Amino acid sequence: MGLETVIKDIMDVAQAKVSEIDAEADAEASRILEDAKQSAKEIKGKRLAKAEDEIQRMRRQELSSANLEVKRTMLNARKEVLEKAYNQAFNEIAGLSADKQETFLKNIIESHESKGSRIYSNKESEDMVKKLSSIEYAGNIDCVGGVVIENEDGSIRLDYTYEGILDSVYEQNLKQTSDILFG
């Protein structure tokens, strides 16, 4: 065997070894590249899922905030309507004619004067209350109308002023009134 043949054999073996190493390197590079692509897909998927979750959370938060604002606005509107109804009722009571006031006071006094020994009213109703009541007239109070009846030692005061009666009726029937007005 000649030297050239030996060199050619060595070169062929070396060339085969280089091709084999190149093939292994290409396979390793392809595997690394595929792993990197797969890892990038996973990272991208996780980030997309996280972004979707964040968008959903923000959407729920905004929706909840909007619903709360709508409820607050509706409650304020309802409150205004109820206050308007209260004020209208108050104005109606304050504007009662003298005949109706006398009838109203007569009913209150007849029903409740036995529970006290003194009676109070506003200045405008003083003469009418003195005429209708058999208990001591004790003076004037600041009210639109009605009376306050007090026991002997002043420890019990029964408020039958128009404001007191209206406030009591309003508070006791607030839910029912709201249900009627707003369903």
Side-chain angles (χ1 to χ4, degrees):
M1 216 191 273
L3 190 54
E4 283 188 22
T5 311
V6 172
I7 291 176
K8 185 177 183 308
D9 286 346
I10 291 174
M11 287 298 277
D12 287 343
V13 169
Q15 193 64 34
K17 196 70 161 159
V18 166
S19 293
E20 184 182 320
I21 290 172
D22 278 349
E24 286 177 8
D26 286 346
E28 182 69 15
S30 290
R31 187 188 58 74
I32 290 171
L33 190 58
E34 196 55 43
D35 287 350
K37 285 180 181 177
Q38 189 62 34
S39 180
K41 272 185 184 178
E42 289 176 12
I43 290 170
K44 184 178 175 182
K46 286 179 183 177
R47 287 188 178 164
L48 281 173
K50 187 175 179 180
E52 280 293 321
D53 289 347
E54 184 66 15
I55 289 169
Q56 290 298 326
R57 183 193 64 76
M58 289 172 69
R59 185 176 289 138
R60 284 190 305 270
Q61 188 176 8
E62 288 296 320
L63 187 60
S64 177
S65 179
N67 284 336
L68 187 62
E69 186 61 31
V70 166
K71 285 181 183 177
R72 185 177 303 126
T73 301
M74 286 185 65
L75 285 174
N76 285 338
R78 287 180 177 184
K79 182 180 175 188
E80 285 179 29
V81 169
L82 289 170
E83 285 176 358
K84 187 175 180 181
Y86 176 89
N87 290 333
Q88 188 175 354
F90 182 82
N91 290 335
E92 289 286 325
I93 290 171
L96 287 175
S97 68
D99 292 343
K100 287 186 179 182
Q101 280 197 39
E102 184 171 352
T103 303
F104 213 57
L105 285 171
K106 182 178 179 186
N107 288 335
I108 291 171
I109 292 169
E110 285 177 358
S111 299
H112 302 287
E113 77 176 344
S114 62
K115 298 174 186 171
S117 59
R118 290 190 292 266
I119 193 165
Y120 300 84
S121 74
N122 64 13
K123 180 70 175 157
E124 294 78 23
S125 302
E126 181 177 345
D127 292 336
M128 195 180 311
V129 170
K130 285 179 178 178
K131 179 178 93 175
L132 296 171
S133 178
S134 61
I135 59 177
E136 172 192 352
Y137 187 82
N140 300 124
I141 55 172
D142 184 26
C143 66
V144 172
V147 294
V148 170
I149 299 174
E150 188 176 70
N151 70 351
E152 185 67 37
D153 63 3
S155 61
I156 299 175
R157 289 181 65 116
L158 304 172
D159 183 357
Y160 296 109
T161 59
Y162 297 166
E163 296 97 315
I165 293 169
L166 182 60
D167 287 346
S168 177
V169 169
Y170 179 77
E171 287 175 21
Q172 289 173 3
N173 296 302
L174 183 59
K175 181 177 179 356
Q176 183 181 2
T177 304
S178 181
D179 289 346
I180 290 169
L181 290 174
F182 308 115

